[in-house]
């Protein structure tokens, strides 16, 4: 073997003993190798035998501190706190030391991921230098030296080696230097004593004369944080972690997730996770008790004595308007919260005593430019009302006014009314459709970047065709009359169906699902990306795919008249829809038609049609009706929620019409067979893998969830039973009020609001599998693998169960499965919220050009100072306030028992019929709202006159 003069030496071995799980002792030997074939990565260097270089020779940047070519070496704290600046295209030619990379990985996973992304960007010229394995830069920890001090010394040693190494290069004619960047005064001092070129990070950035905007993106250092605040202490000191841990251990403190209220900035709850049903919520009210916790932080709370417990407020309080002073005393708003509440309504109440884990992220929002001329300090208002306003320093306020921007929090001192933060980047003009869509995706943490090359590299090569070997392993079902039924415009077709009569008079029914798991193999980059995304997100007029388009709209999509790979669930049934046999098989199909729900319905209804596709559809429809009846008899719920459909202008992409979606028999037909397939597959994978089946459950709501439903029904003298799903379903079926046909729908809408969220879980980690809404003892998701990652895992489990594919370790690991379901539940929930926000934004666009409309609606909820009204025509909800700032409130009496709200002489109940004006209030460009005002009933001084005529829609302007 030719070693080419490379010296590889072993430093020494460290030996220590480790206790094993079984109680034995194991000797562990760690060997640390040092080498001198680790190259510097610079174009200037002729000594290192490197094939390619990353760091450029021409590394000059306009700077009054460093007017010469230079490479930057940031220490760990700079990387952790100033990643927003390091990501900027201006910052190039940076050496990231292995010491720094390892520390970043241990201390912050999000920063580490962002740093790895920068290292992969060729145009940034960031180079990783493995200093911990280089013979001349490795150092050992000295006796009595802390790990932190040792790492700082290792960084200084690497900077010294780089400086000397590049200084002697003949091609370094321009005097290229190495600059250490740190924020640690002690580290800076020691570096200067060693003769190194070193600057504080802020100092260096402020010296970049051509890029003054970078200063805004600096995270505040501790020195700066003290300057911005006053000396008056507004909040209690946070307890140190050691005190918190001891308090949690002896049960004097509780640990939980802080959930700020969207409606009231002075109120929050802390969700304390318990065993099984023992989880509880602690109510927090008032600035002092909230004590600088931010939505989603993990906090320690102390319960207040029982006599200080309060009830959740029904007030809607928003922190807007002028900046509140840092030294204001408790204001009127806090006092308003302390109105006496009925003893029964009081909840366990506490105060935040410390922060266990901050869950800060960059927040989207807008700048409230300071009224003080020339001021560089401004307040930023986040789009999410649960996040407090943030104070930032920027010299670009004139440019940023009217823009959506991103801001990160740096800290929240106890003497500052607001947290301090820094500007990250601008997203574009507020109100602009693309900008608002970007905000919506960022705020709901929806991964929406283009698929990377690494991910795309695992796609099949085109043109793609089914190989003869693949055909041998599958059942050939191409002869069957299979068709798909979907919403109009659907290109990601997951499922197709067939129904045919067998020779013995029984029926064969097949559900054929796209075989996505054939294309996405476990553990590769494509699989990891799909697992992270978790679900496809459908916005109005846009889809954020879980898998690349080649799969979602082409190779996996069960389009008509093309051969496609499928995973089929086939039943033999009698004419009473009783299942006689079930089998699962990997197959090849050729769909004979891709129909919309309306097209399928027309075929079923058209007596003149009698082709194979129509006969198949009629057979399916007949069986589906029986299946639905059987489900409902078992206690399955038929609930209601208004879904809206926008008709979009093909040129401007603005909504020109808004209607609630109509459901047809064919919607129900497809749904019945999807449910049946999901239940059949759930049973099969659980029988085969009782410890690691991925299932879906829907917990029964706690009885208190039904309070509002029971009160609403009682107000119309209707009785609802909620002791079981069957009792609820039966009582909803007979709930009627004469002369009020919409009553039952309203009741079902309200019942939907009482439900818990359905969740994925791993069978080996839970004992309650029941799906309350479907009244099924077991359930999973199998039928939509193009748009849900859970279904891909279920396909893999089913494939192993029938011997059609091999297993892999993570699939059989219940802890890994459980961690995966946590991410899937989170992504699923966020995707629903993003969808709702998209509907809300398009609804605003729709009403923007409509002037003021007058519509009929129903009271859905009654609050202390408002009623919430549902407009069935548009599937729209809005609030009619009876007190507003600057106006004298009319006489208002809120009765919790009803609940009722008496406004002057009129009393409002749930489900009352009202008429309201609807208009868009865009006075606050960031929080545009649909405004509703009462026209009927007529209450003097409260109602507004109805608009005289329906205004014509303004012609939509073309997007230029």
């Amino acid at each position: 073997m030719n070693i080419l003069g490379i010296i590889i030496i072993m430093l020494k071995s460290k030996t220590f003993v480790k206790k094993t799980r079984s109680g034995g002792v194991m000797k562990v030997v760690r060997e640390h190798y040092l080498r001198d074939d680790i190259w510097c990565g610079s174009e200037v260097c002729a000594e290192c035998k490197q094939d390619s270089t990353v760091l450029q020779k021409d590394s000059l940047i306009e700077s009054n501190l460093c007017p010469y070519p230079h490479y930057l070496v940031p220490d760990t704290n700079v990387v952790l706190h100033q990643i927003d600046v390091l990501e900027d295209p201006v910052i190039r030619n940076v050496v990231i030391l292995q010491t720094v990379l390892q520390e970043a990985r241990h201390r912050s996973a999000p920063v580490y991921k962002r740093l790895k992304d920068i290292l992969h960007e060729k145009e940034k010229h960031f180079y990783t230098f493995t200093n911990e394995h280089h013979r001349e830069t490795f150092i050992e920890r000295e006796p009595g030296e802390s790990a932190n001090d040792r790492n700082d010394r290792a960084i200084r040693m690497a900077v010294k080696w780089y400086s000397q190494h590049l200084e002697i290069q003949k091609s370094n004619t321009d005097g290229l230097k190495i600059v250490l960047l740190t924020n640690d005064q002690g580290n800076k001092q020691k570096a200067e004593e060693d003769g190194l070129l070193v600057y504080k990070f802020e100092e260096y950035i402020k010296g970049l004369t051509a890029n003054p905007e970078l200063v805004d993106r600096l995270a505040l250092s501790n020195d700066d944080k003290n300057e911005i605040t006053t000396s008056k202490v507004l909040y209690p000191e946070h307890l140190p972690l050691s005190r918190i841990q001891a308090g949690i251990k002896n049960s004097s403190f509780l640990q939980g997730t802080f959930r700020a209220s969207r409606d009231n900035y002075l109120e929050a709850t802390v969700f304390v996770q318990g065993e099984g049903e023992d989880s509880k919520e602690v109510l927090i009210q008032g600035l002092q008790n909230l004590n600088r916790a931010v939505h989603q932080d993990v906090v320690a709370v102390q319960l207040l004595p029982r006599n200080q417990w309060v009830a959740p407020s029904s007030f809607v309080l928003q922190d807007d308007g002028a900046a509140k002073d840092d030294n204001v005393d408790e204001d009127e708003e806090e006092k308003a919260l302390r109105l006496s509440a009925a003893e029964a309504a009081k909840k366990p109440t506490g105060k935040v005593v410390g922060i266990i884990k901050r869950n800060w992220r960059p927040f989207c929002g807008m700048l409230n430019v300071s009224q003080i001329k020339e001021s560089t300090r401004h307040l930023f208002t986040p789009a999410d009302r649960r996040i407090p306003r943030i104070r930032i320093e920027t010299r670009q306020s004139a440019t940023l006014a009217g823009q959506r921007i991103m801001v990160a929090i740096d800290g929240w001192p106890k003497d500052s009314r607001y947290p301090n933060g820094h500007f990250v980047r601008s997203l574009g003009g507020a109100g602009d459709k693309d900008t608002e869509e970007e905000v919506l995706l960022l705020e709901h943490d929806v991964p929406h970047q283009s698929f990377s090359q690494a991910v795309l590299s695992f796609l099949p090569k085109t043109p793609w065709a089914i190989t003869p070997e693949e055909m041998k392993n599958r059942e050939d079902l191409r002869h069957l009359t299979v068709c798909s039924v979907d919403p109009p415009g659907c290109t990601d077709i997951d499922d197709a169906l067939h129904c045919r009569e067998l020779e013995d008079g029984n029926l064969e029914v097949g559900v054929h699902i796209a075989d996505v798991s054939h294309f996405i193999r476990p553990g590769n980059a494509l699989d990891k990306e799909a697992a992270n995304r978790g679900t496809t997100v459908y916005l109005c007029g846009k889809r954020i795919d879980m898998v690349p388009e080649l799969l979602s709209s082409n190779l996996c999509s069960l389009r008509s008249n093309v051969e496609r790979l499928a995973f089929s669930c086939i039943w033999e049934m009698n004419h009473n829809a009783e299942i006689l046999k079930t089998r699962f098989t990997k197959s090849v199909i050729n769909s004979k038609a891709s129909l919309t729900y309306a097209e399928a319905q027309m075929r079923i209804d058209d007596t003149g049609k009698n082709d194979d596709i129509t006969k198949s559809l009629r057979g399916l429809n007949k069986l589906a009706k029986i299946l639905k009846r059987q489900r409902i008899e078992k206690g399955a719920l038929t609930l209601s929620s208004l879904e809206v459909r926008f008709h979009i202008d093909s040129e401007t992409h603005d909504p020109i019409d808004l209607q609630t979606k109509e459901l047809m028999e064919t919607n129900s037909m497809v749904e019945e067979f999807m449910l049946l397939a999901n239940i059949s597959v759930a049973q099969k994978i659980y029988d085969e893998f009782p410890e690691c089946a991925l299932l879906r459950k829907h917990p029964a709501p706690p009885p208190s969830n039904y309070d509002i439903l029971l009160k609403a029904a009682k107000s119309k003298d209707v009785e609802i039973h909620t002791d079981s799903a069957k009792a609820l379903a039966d009582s909803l079926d007979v709930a009627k009020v004469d002369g009020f046909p919409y009553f039952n729908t309203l009741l079902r809408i309200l019942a939907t609001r009482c439900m818990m969220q359905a969740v994925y879980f791993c069978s080996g980690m839970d004992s309650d599998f029941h799906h309350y809404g479907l009244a099924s003892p077991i359930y999973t998701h199998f039928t939509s693998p193009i748009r849900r990652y859970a279904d891909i895992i279920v396909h893999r489990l089913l494939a192993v169960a029938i011997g059609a594919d091999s297993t892999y370790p993570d699939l059989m690991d219940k802890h890994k499965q459980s961690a995966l379901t946590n991410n899937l539940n989170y992504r699923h929930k966020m995707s629903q919220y993003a969808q709702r926000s998209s509907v809300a934004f398009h609804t605003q666009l729709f009403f923007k050009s409509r002037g003021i409309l007058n519509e009929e609606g129903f009271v859905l909820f009654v609050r202390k100072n408002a009623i919430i009204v549902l407009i069935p025509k548009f599937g729209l909800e809005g609030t009619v306030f009876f007190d507003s700032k600057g106006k004298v409130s009319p006489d208002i009496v809120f009765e919790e028992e009803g609940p009722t709200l008496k406004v002057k002489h009129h009393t409002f109940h749930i489900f009352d019929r009202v008429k309201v004006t609807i208009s868009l209030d865009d006075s606050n460009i960031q929080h545009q709202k649909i405004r509703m005002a009462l026209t009927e009933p007529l209450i003097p001084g409260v109602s507004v006159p109805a608009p005289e005529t329906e205004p014509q829609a303004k012609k939509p302007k073309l997007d230029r």
Side-chain angles (χ1 to χ4, degrees):
M1 185 176 79
N2 181 8
I3 297 183
L4 294 176
I6 293 170
I7 305 165
I8 301 181
I9 57 169
M10 192 179 81
L11 170 68
K12 63 173 184 185
S13 57
K14 286 183 180 175
T15 308
F16 55 93
V17 288
K18 189 177 167 187
K19 222 174 182 179
T20 63
R21 274 185 178 171
S22 57
V25 173
M26 186 170 71
K27 188 176 177 185
V28 180
V29 179
R30 282 236 175 105
E31 296 175 338
H32 192 93
Y33 288 91
L34 298 181
R35 30 198 318 157
D36 60 2
D37 62 340
I38 294 169
W39 314 131
C40 70
S42 171
E43 277 182 357
V44 166
C45 178
E47 189 180 322
C48 292
K49 298 176 178 62
Q50 45 207 0
D51 296 331
S52 61
T53 55
V54 173
L55 301 163
Q56 297 168 293
K57 182 178 180 182
D58 176 20
S59 54
L60 200 60
I61 183 169
E62 276 188 62
S63 166
N64 56 20
L65 270 187
C66 308
Y68 36 76
H70 57 278
Y71 298 155
L72 301 172
V73 183
D75 73 2
T76 310
N77 278 329
V78 165
V79 165
L80 288 172
H81 299 297
Q82 306 291 356
I83 190 78
D84 288 331
V85 182
L86 293 175
E87 282 175 331
D88 193 278
V90 170
I91 307 296
R92 296 195 305 274
N93 293 299
V94 176
V95 178
I96 298 293
L97 299 176
Q98 183 190 358
T99 311
V100 171
L101 199 58
Q102 284 171 344
E103 271 200 282
R105 185 173 159 204
H106 290 139
R107 287 169 58 183
S108 171
V111 169
Y112 176 70
K113 185 186 178 306
R114 288 167 73 182
L115 187 58
K116 291 289 280 183
D117 288 345
I118 303 174
L119 286 162
H120 287 130
E121 276 182 57
K122 283 200 171 78
E123 57 280 7
K124 287 282 284 167
H125 301 282
F126 269 52
Y127 180 68
T128 314
F129 180 66
T130 320
N131 63 309
E132 295 291 354
H133 288 278
H134 193 293
R135 195 158 53 95
E136 292 177 37
T137 58
F138 173 77
I139 57 160
E140 285 196 72
R141 190 165 154 189
E142 291 174 351
E145 187 177 36
S146 73
N148 202 27
D149 287 347
R150 181 259 165 214
N151 288 345
D152 281 349
R153 192 159 59 84
I155 292 167
R156 294 196 298 274
M157 171 63 90
V159 170
K160 189 173 187 175
W161 177 84
Y162 252 104
S163 301
Q164 292 169 347
H165 177 76
L166 294 179
E167 208 174 332
I168 56 171
Q169 302 304 321
K170 287 193 180 115
S171 60
N172 186 5
T173 50
D174 298 331
L176 186 140
K177 292 183 166 49
I178 303 293
V179 177
L180 171 62
L181 297 176
T182 181
N183 280 333
D184 181 327
Q185 192 52 48
N187 195 17
K188 184 172 186 275
Q189 210 169 330
K190 285 178 180 156
E192 284 167 344
E193 287 164 12
D194 291 347
L196 303 177
L197 188 54
V198 57
Y199 290 110
K200 279 204 162 183
F201 190 71
E202 287 87 342
E203 196 180 0
Y204 176 81
I205 295 300
K206 285 173 182 172
L208 298 179
T209 44
N211 300 91
E213 75 285 353
L214 279 184
V215 175
D216 289 351
R217 294 171 68 176
L218 286 169
L220 296 176
S221 67
N222 285 331
D223 306 347
D224 298 335
K225 287 174 193 169
N226 297 336
E227 285 173 23
I228 286 192
T229 57
T230 63
S231 54
K232 177 162 180 180
V233 174
L234 297 177
Y235 298 100
E237 188 84 64
H238 284 151
L239 297 179
L241 214 49
S242 55
R243 283 271 307 279
I244 290 171
Q245 282 161 342
I248 290 169
K249 207 170 177 184
N250 67 27
S251 301
S252 56
F253 300 150
L254 297 168
Q255 173 176 331
T257 306
F258 184 86
R259 293 175 176 170
S261 162
R262 210 184 283 276
D263 296 324
N264 188 335
Y265 78 101
L266 294 173
E267 191 167 276
T269 51
V270 172
F271 179 75
V272 181
Q273 185 76 54
E275 290 298 315
E277 300 293 304
D278 288 346
S279 302
K280 66 167 150 191
E281 286 194 331
V282 178
L283 185 63
I284 316 283
Q285 270 190 4
L287 285 177
Q288 293 264 316
N289 293 337
L290 296 169
N291 197 7
R292 297 170 285 152
V294 174
H295 184 62
Q296 294 293 8
D297 284 350
V298 179
V299 298
V301 288
Q302 184 175 23
L303 282 176
L304 297 173
R306 203 172 260 274
N307 63 358
Q308 291 179 33
W309 287 11
V310 293
S313 161
S314 300
F315 273 99
V316 177
L317 279 181
Q318 246 107 61
D319 180 18
D320 44 30
K324 307 264 196 313
D325 209 340
D326 280 342
N327 50 16
V328 291
D329 293 319
E330 183 184 36
D331 55 26
E332 293 304 313
E333 290 175 342
E334 289 213 16
K335 287 172 187 157
L337 289 186
R338 297 203 165 69
L339 296 172
S340 62
E343 211 50 45
K346 293 187 173 178
K347 295 261 165 79
T349 308
K351 61 179 181 181
V352 174
V353 293
I355 308 289
I356 296 165
K357 182 174 181 277
R358 287 289 194 193
N359 264 328
W360 295 342
R361 59 179 173 83
F363 300 106
C364 302
M366 291 184 75
L367 204 62
N368 289 32
V369 178
S370 169
Q371 299 306 304
I372 304 164
K373 223 177 169 193
E374 305 297 314
S375 174
T376 57
R377 284 182 194 162
H378 308 273
L379 266 188
F380 162 84
T381 303
D384 186 341
R385 289 202 180 273
R386 294 168 299 187
I387 306 299
R389 294 198 280 175
I390 303 163
R391 200 175 262 149
I392 69 165
E393 284 221 22
T394 174
R395 288 147 195 79
Q396 305 175 65
S397 59
T399 316
L400 298 179
Q403 296 218 341
R404 290 282 203 169
I405 63 172
M406 289 185 85
V407 162
I409 298 179
D410 298 324
W412 196 343
K414 60 181 185 289
D415 46 6
S416 171
R417 172 71 170 72
Y418 301 107
N420 297 322
H422 66 275
F423 168 73
V424 176
R425 66 188 172 103
S426 173
L427 300 168
D432 171 75
K433 223 174 313 172
D434 292 341
T435 304
E436 295 304 328
E437 208 159 73
E438 176 76 358
V439 168
L440 186 153
L441 293 168
L442 288 165
E443 280 298 291
H444 294 100
D445 196 13
V446 173
H448 58 287
Q449 64 285 9
S450 302
F451 289 101
S452 69
Q453 277 312 116
V455 167
L456 298 174
S457 70
F458 285 98
L459 290 174
K461 301 288 171 276
T462 50
W464 173 85
I466 301 169
T467 62
E469 299 87 83
E470 193 57 55
M471 282 302 286
K472 276 184 215 156
N473 300 325
R474 292 176 178 264
E475 198 169 329
D476 187 349
L477 304 179
R478 290 175 294 181
H479 60 286
L480 293 177
T481 307
V482 171
C483 67
S484 62
V485 185
D486 289 284
C490 176
T491 60
D492 51 344
I493 302 170
D494 287 287
D495 54 272
L497 300 150
H498 88 272
C499 175
R500 64 173 178 165
E501 195 156 334
L502 299 172
E503 286 174 7
D504 60 3
N506 286 333
L507 297 167
E508 179 189 82
V509 176
V511 164
H512 311 277
I513 305 299
D515 189 3
V516 182
S517 63
H518 169 82
F519 295 97
I520 300 181
R521 302 310 295 162
N524 68 23
L526 177 56
D527 182 45
K528 284 177 178 166
E529 181 66 25
N532 176 42
R533 291 186 179 217
T535 178
T536 291
V537 180
Y538 294 90
L539 306 179
C540 299
K542 185 173 183 173
R543 192 176 82 199
I544 314 290
D545 279 328
M546 178 182 84
V547 298
E549 195 178 10
L550 177 66
L551 295 183
S552 68
S553 293
N554 187 350
L555 303 186
C556 290
S557 185
L558 304 181
R559 305 191 305 192
S560 51
N561 305 313
V562 286
E563 293 180 0
R564 287 291 176 257
L565 302 178
F567 208 152
S568 299
C569 173
I570 299 169
W571 303 277
E572 187 177 329
M573 293 180 174
N574 61 24
H575 286 264
N576 296 326
E578 290 164 340
I579 297 170
L580 308 173
K581 281 186 203 156
T582 305
R583 65 190 183 89
F584 306 99
T585 180
K586 292 258 185 166
S587 61
V588 179
I589 64 165
N590 187 322
S591 169
K592 303 299 180 273
S594 303
L595 306 171
T596 65
Y597 290 118
E599 286 166 349
Q601 192 66 53
M602 277 155 64
R603 277 177 177 263
I604 291 168
D605 297 341
D606 184 349
T607 50
K609 274 195 182 297
N610 217 12
D611 56 278
D612 287 351
I613 293 170
T614 306
K615 281 197 283 199
S616 176
L617 287 168
R618 284 185 188 135
L620 289 164
N621 197 37
K622 195 173 156 195
L623 290 169
K625 286 177 179 174
I626 302 169
L627 288 169
K628 185 169 188 175
R629 194 176 66 241
Q630 289 171 352
R631 267 195 325 110
I632 288 169
E633 279 165 9
K634 280 189 202 157
L637 293 170
T638 310
L639 298 175
S640 183
S641 63
L642 291 179
E643 284 191 62
V644 296
R645 165 169 288 138
F646 291 97
H647 292 268
I648 305 284
D649 185 300
S650 57
E651 285 186 34
T652 66
H653 303 294
D654 282 336
I656 47 178
D657 197 9
L658 170 59
Q659 294 168 340
T660 49
K661 287 184 189 172
E662 265 186 77
L663 294 180
M664 303 180 191
E665 261 184 19
T666 44
N667 289 79
S668 181
M669 176 188 84
V670 173
E671 184 185 10
E672 284 309 316
F673 287 107
M674 296 308 117
L675 294 176
L676 190 62
N678 287 335
I679 293 167
S680 301
V681 170
Q683 196 59 59
K684 177 71 176 172
I685 61 173
Y686 177 62
D687 290 345
E688 291 286 334
F689 308 111
E691 284 294 294
C692 58
L694 192 153
L695 302 175
R696 187 163 175 82
K697 68 172 180 174
H698 182 215
S704 61
N705 275 32
Y706 286 125
D707 288 353
I708 193 71
L709 179 70
L710 297 174
K711 283 177 179 178
K714 192 179 167 192
S715 72
K716 299 289 180 215
D717 296 320
V718 168
E719 208 173 336
I720 294 287
H721 300 284
T722 59
D723 22 330
S724 71
K726 172 103 179 96
L728 175 61
D730 290 347
S731 52
L732 282 172
D733 282 344
V734 296
K736 288 180 178 57
V737 172
D738 289 340
F740 190 177
Y742 201 64
F743 171 73
N744 192 270
T745 305
L746 285 170
L747 216 49
R748 289 179 194 274
I749 289 171
L750 213 48
T752 308
R753 309 287 172 94
C754 302
M755 293 298 137
M756 306 290 282
Q757 183 86 37
V759 287
Y760 297 112
F761 69 101
C762 173
S763 59
M765 304 291 279
D766 210 321
S767 55
D768 172 25
F769 293 9
H770 192 75
H771 197 294
Y772 180 81
L774 297 173
S776 176
I778 194 164
Y779 193 65
T780 192
H781 272 164
F782 163 75
T783 54
S784 295
I786 296 178
R787 60 187 177 88
R788 291 188 305 231
Y789 187 76
D791 303 52
I792 292 178
I793 295 292
V794 169
H795 276 226
R796 288 174 183 169
L797 287 163
L798 183 62
V800 175
I802 64 167
D805 206 343
S806 51
T807 184
Y808 57 100
D810 283 7
L811 192 66
M812 298 295 144
D813 183 330
K814 65 179 181 180
H815 298 286
K816 292 258 174 71
Q817 283 288 43
S818 191
L820 174 66
T821 60
N822 288 341
N823 180 55
L824 296 180
N825 290 329
Y826 169 70
R827 293 292 189 209
H828 192 71
K829 185 171 73 180
M830 284 305 173
S831 127
Q832 286 180 318
Y833 291 163
Q835 226 163 319
R836 282 179 211 163
S837 293
S838 178
V839 168
F841 175 63
H842 279 77
T843 305
Q844 289 169 6
L845 286 180
F846 173 75
F847 282 105
K848 197 171 193 167
S849 58
R850 295 296 180 285
I852 299 175
L853 302 184
N854 192 30
E855 294 292 344
E856 187 179 79
F858 298 97
V859 175
L860 210 49
F861 298 105
V862 174
R863 297 277 185 258
K864 270 188 183 168
N865 57 343
I867 53 173
I868 289 158
V869 176
L870 173 75
I871 312 292
K873 181 178 172 183
F874 298 129
L876 178 69
E877 263 175 60
T879 308
V880 176
F881 286 99
F882 294 113
D883 66 341
S884 52
K885 289 179 182 174
K887 277 192 187 171
V888 181
S889 294
D891 310 323
I892 296 179
V893 181
F894 176 69
E895 198 61 63
E896 196 138 4
E897 202 39 51
T900 60
L901 184 68
K902 190 173 179 188
V903 180
K904 293 203 170 171
H905 61 271
H906 186 88
T907 304
F908 290 98
H909 306 82
I910 295 182
F911 296 165
D912 279 359
R913 202 184 299 255
V914 293
K915 270 202 164 180
V916 292
T917 61
I918 310 171
S919 59
L920 179 69
D921 174 5
D922 54 7
S923 55
N924 177 340
I925 193 163
Q926 165 153 263
H927 292 126
Q928 296 191 25
K929 293 189 196 82
I930 298 293
R931 278 259 181 247
M932 289 191 184
L934 198 67
T935 59
E936 288 177 29
L938 194 63
I939 305 174
V942 175
S943 309
V944 298
E948 284 175 26
T949 53
E950 296 284 305
Q952 285 302 303
K954 292 179 199 165
K955 267 205 143 168
K957 285 182 189 165
L958 288 177
D959 284 353
R960 296 256 187 270

